[in-house]
Amino acid sequence: MIQLSNLHKYYGDKNRQLHVLKGIDVTIEEGELTAIMGSSGSGKSTLLNILGILDHFDEGRYLLDQQEITKLTEKQAAYFRNKFIGFVFQSFNLLSFKNATENVALPLYYQKVGRRERNKKAAELLEMVGLGDRAEHMPNQLSGGQKQRVAIARALVTNPRVILADEPTGALDSKTTQEIMQLFKEVHGQGKTIVIVTHEKEIADACERLIVLRDGQIANTTSKVSPL
C-alpha cells in the first residue's frame, strides 16, 4: 500500500538547510496497524505529513497503492488525499460552529455529495463510534474523547483505505485513550491501513508494528502480534 524509497526532506535554503528525513526506506502493507515513535525533532510528524500528501519531499520515491506521488499539483494532491486518506489529529480540528453530524459530513460536502446522502452517512458513522445520541451536539458540548470519536468518524466518511493519525490520544486521559485505541482497532478490523504517530508506549504496544525514528532515520522496526 505504502512504499518509501530513500526519502529525503530538507527545510530552509541552501545556506541554512535542515536535513529532516535522511533516506527513509519503509513499506507498509495494506491492512497493517503501524505505530511511529520518536523523540521531538526525529521527523515523525514530517513523515506523516508526507504520507498524507500534505507536504512534499525533496529526494526519493513514494508509491501509494502503486501510484507515484511526486511533484503533484495541488489539484492532483487533493485527488489522492480524497481517494485514499483519512486524517485524525491530536487537536481534533472540528469546526466549532458545526454540530457533530455536520463535522463528520464535511469531507462529503467537498466531494459534492448531496446533503441528504452525506448526513445519512454521517449518522451511520456516529452510531458506529457510539455517538448516535450526540449527533446534534456542538463541539463545545462534547468531551475530549467524544470530539476524537467525531474526528475518527469524519476520517472514515469518505471510506478511505488509509487512516493517518497524529498523536490522536495526546490530549486524552488514560481511560479515554484506551477507548479510542480500541475504536482504532475496530476500524482496523474492517481492513483499513492505519498509521499512528504517538509518544505513548501503550498505543505503540497495541499496534501490530512499530517504527522508531531517530534523527531523521529509521532506528528500528518491529513487527508483533497485537496483545489486544
Side-chain angles (χ1 to χ4, degrees):
M1 173 56 75
I2 292 171
Q3 294 175 279
L4 304 180
S5 302
N6 194 33
L7 200 80
H8 292 260
K9 172 67 180 178
Y10 303 88
Y11 286 117
D13 56 33
K14 291 183 178 180
N15 296 323
R16 301 183 61 181
Q17 200 169 65
L18 179 62
H19 197 177
V20 181
L21 297 179
K22 306 171 183 176
I24 300 293
D25 291 296
V26 69
T27 297
I28 298 173
E29 301 292 348
E30 186 162 10
E32 279 193 339
L33 174 57
T34 299
I36 299 176
M37 296 189 78
S39 60
S40 178
S42 63
K44 57 187 187 297
S45 289
T46 297
L47 177 58
L48 199 75
N49 286 339
I50 289 173
L51 292 179
I53 323 179
L54 296 172
D55 199 356
H56 70 278
F57 53 95
D58 297 292
E59 299 173 29
R61 195 177 190 205
Y62 174 17
L63 292 177
L64 176 61
D65 194 36
Q66 303 302 315
Q67 301 284 332
E68 189 84 40
I69 306 296
T70 180
K71 295 182 179 178
L72 302 177
T73 66
E74 182 49 44
K75 186 175 181 179
Q76 291 169 326
Y79 168 78
F80 282 110
R81 283 194 300 267
N82 289 336
K83 182 177 180 182
F84 288 106
I85 300 169
F87 297 94
V88 181
F89 302 96
Q90 177 178 350
S91 57
F92 319 127
N93 286 11
L94 302 181
L95 295 181
S96 62
F97 55 89
K98 291 187 177 292
N99 64 30
T101 297
E102 292 166 333
N103 267 287
V104 173
L106 195 59
L108 296 179
Y109 170 82
Y110 291 117
Q111 291 187 0
K112 303 192 185 306
V113 175
R115 179 175 181 145
R116 181 177 296 180
E117 183 179 347
R118 66 178 185 257
N119 285 349
K120 179 176 180 290
K121 183 66 174 177
E124 291 171 354
L125 283 164
L126 285 171
E127 285 287 348
M128 191 200 83
V129 301
L131 290 179
D133 61 342
R134 298 289 191 273
E136 303 301 319
H137 283 54
M138 306 299 283
N140 64 3
Q141 297 173 308
L142 301 173
S143 69
Q146 289 170 337
K147 289 176 185 176
Q148 196 59 291
R149 286 174 181 270
V150 172
I152 292 170
R154 181 185 58 194
L156 292 169
V157 75
T158 59
N159 195 29
R161 293 171 63 184
V162 179
I163 300 292
L164 302 178
D166 193 359
E167 299 282 5
T169 59
L172 306 176
D173 60 48
S174 58
K175 180 178 182 296
T176 308
T177 291
Q178 291 178 353
E179 293 171 352
I180 294 299
M181 192 60 212
Q182 185 58 42
L183 179 55
F184 273 118
K185 291 181 72 65
E186 291 170 9
V187 170
H188 171 244
Q190 299 172 4
K192 303 293 185 187
T193 303
I194 302 179
V195 181
I196 302 175
V197 162
T198 183
H199 66 274
E200 298 176 74
K201 185 176 182 299
E202 179 184 10
I203 297 300
D205 287 345
C207 294
E208 297 174 335
R209 185 178 180 202
L210 172 62
I211 297 170
V212 178
L213 290 185
R214 184 174 299 124
D215 296 328
Q217 297 178 306
I218 294 179
N220 187 36
T221 180
T222 306
S223 297
K224 58 186 182 300
V225 177
S226 173
L228 296 182

